[in-house]
Amino acid sequence: MTRATHTLTLDQGALELAVDRHGEQGHPFLLLHGGGGPATVAPFAALLAEQRPARVFSPVHPGFDGTTRPDWLTDVPTLARIYADLLDTLDLRDVAVVGNSIGGWIAAELAVLGSDRITSVTLVNAVGIAVPGHPVAGTFSLTPVELSRLSFHDPSKFRFDPSALSTEQRAVMAGNRAALQVYSGPHTMADPTLTDRLAKITHPTLVAWGESDKVVDADYGRAYAEAVPGAEFRLLAATGHLPQTETPDQLLPLVWDFADAHATHRPQR
């Protein structure tokens, strides 16, 4: 993995954006992490680049992993515009966008923008919409251990020991949580306007969902798919909120096959 910093300029101001990269050639992927930070997608990014002809770009949402978040950056739609600008800056085309949790919300907002650099979008246990009777779990009131119980099909395989964290790790976790709280907005991980705006999406879209997710349940995922014209919905067995961590063997071929099927230029295998 290599990490590079790119200077982007938006109407609101300049931004230094850290981007992790795995793989040197092949189909470009924009992989957007969730509230747990870049570490929640890094192993999957490495696996994708290793097992498929893929270049995986994973931006660090400003404020996560010890990075700086400018005061004007406070919402997911602005993050989406930042990543549209990143695709322009890197001159990437035929991009497959994949996002998990709040990263899925960002991916959905990016798809709404309609960039012609994107050829497919995969939303993995995404948040961002309001579904009556299926609320997003109130993660900010939970301890990391409690959140882990909601996030995994088998939490025993992903035990979390806060006492084992270093001072630096605790600081990064606190920064991640603070940034997530800002981006989640006043409606707690949802934008009441998003469901209607999803109808604007024209990119091929796959909604992949862990059947055992207790942060956002499978019916929430089905509602997401129903709101996007022509979207496919796939349920992942024995999987919770983080398929890329818990069952990458299921998620990777699903993500790759969908991206490959909609690629304009297929890479050499």
Side-chain angles (χ1 to χ4, degrees):
M1 182 194 82
T2 59
R3 175 171 288 188
T5 300
H6 301 274
T7 302
L8 306 178
T9 303
L10 282 78
D11 292 341
Q12 297 92 328
L15 171 73
E16 297 294 313
L17 182 67
V19 181
D20 296 333
R21 177 174 174 172
H22 294 79
E24 296 301 321
Q25 58 185 357
H27 195 116
F29 283 78
L30 181 69
L31 180 60
L32 304 174
H33 68 77
T40 62
V41 297
F44 185 78
L47 192 66
L48 181 57
E50 175 187 327
Q51 295 192 359
R52 300 291 193 277
R55 290 174 291 152
V56 187
F57 298 85
S58 303
V60 180
H61 309 326
F64 281 81
D65 214 22
T67 60
T68 299
R69 178 187 60 82
D71 292 340
W72 51 262
L73 178 51
T74 59
D75 57 56
V76 168
T78 304
L79 269 176
R81 289 193 290 274
I82 287 169
Y83 295 143
D85 193 65
L86 175 67
L87 298 183
D88 291 339
T89 298
L90 297 177
D91 194 23
L92 295 176
R93 301 180 184 277
D94 207 15
V95 178
V97 179
V98 181
N100 171 240
S101 192
I102 195 170
W105 179 2
I106 301 165
E109 293 281 8
L110 183 54
V112 169
L113 292 176
S115 170
D116 60 6
R117 294 181 179 274
I118 296 170
T119 50
S120 69
V121 179
T122 300
L123 310 178
V124 183
N125 293 73
V127 298
I129 62 173
V131 181
H134 300 275
V136 180
T139 57
F140 298 115
S141 64
L142 302 173
T143 67
V145 173
E146 291 169 334
L147 182 58
S148 178
R149 293 186 186 126
L150 298 181
S151 298
F152 296 104
H153 173 78
D154 185 357
S156 67
K157 295 180 179 179
F158 302 92
R159 294 189 183 280
F160 180 77
D161 181 8
S163 66
L165 296 176
S166 66
T167 301
E168 292 78 10
Q169 288 171 321
R170 290 176 187 274
V172 168
M173 279 191 66
N176 290 354
R177 186 180 179 90
L180 180 64
Q181 196 149 16
V182 170
Y183 292 134
S184 70
H187 302 285
T188 312
M189 294 295 179
D191 180 342
T193 72
L194 180 57
T195 300
D196 289 341
R197 290 187 291 109
L198 293 177
K200 299 178 182 178
I201 294 177
T202 58
H203 301 300
T205 301
L206 171 67
V207 179
W209 221 265
E211 66 175 1
S212 301
D213 191 356
K214 297 181 182 66
V215 177
V216 274
D217 64 25
D219 283 340
Y220 183 101
R222 291 186 180 93
Y224 229 122
E226 289 171 2
V228 179
E232 300 178 29
F233 179 78
R234 294 289 295 274
L235 204 59
L236 304 175
T239 306
H241 190 62
L242 303 168
Q244 73 276 8
T245 299
E246 192 165 23
T247 55
D249 55 323
Q250 285 192 71
L251 184 64
L252 191 148
L254 191 65
V255 164
W256 172 261
D257 289 348
F258 189 76
D260 189 47
H262 297 286
T264 304
H265 298 95
R266 289 186 172 81
Q268 295 296 317
R269 296 175 182 275

